[in-house]
Amino acid sequence: MNAENDNDRLVDPPKACAICGKPALVRFKPFCSKRCADVDLNRWLKGAYAIPVVENEGEDEDSRD
C-alpha cells in the first residue's frame, strides 16, 4: 500500500472521532475529517477548552512562599 492510501485507513484500534463519533481516519487522527479537526481547533482558539480556576478567598498571596 502506498503512503497516500494509508492516510485513508481507519485508526487501529478503531476509535470514534472526538467531535462527531464517526470512525477516525489515520489522516486526521483523532478525527474523521478535516472539518471535525477544524471544529476542534476553533474550540481551542475560542477558549472553550479552558480549565476553570477557583481561587480561595481567604488565602493570601504572600502566604504561598
Side-chain angles (χ1 to χ4, degrees):
M1 222 181 247
N2 64 29
E4 188 173 87
N5 290 339
D6 286 349
N7 286 332
D8 294 330
R9 288 184 305 124
L10 294 176
V11 174
D12 189 33
K15 301 246 183 190
C17 174
I19 300 297
C20 71
K22 293 179 184 176
L25 296 176
V26 170
R27 182 177 184 185
F28 302 107
K29 185 179 177 181
F31 308 104
C32 68
S33 66
K34 180 163 176 23
R35 180 200 167 276
C36 284
D38 288 343
V39 167
D40 184 70
L41 177 61
N42 187 43
R43 289 178 183 175
W44 277 105
L45 294 174
K46 283 184 169 181
Y49 292 139
I51 298 171
V53 177
V54 178
E55 295 192 23
N56 295 334
E57 292 179 21
E59 187 176 303
D60 199 13
E61 287 187 24
D62 295 333
S63 65
R64 292 185 205 168
D65 295 81

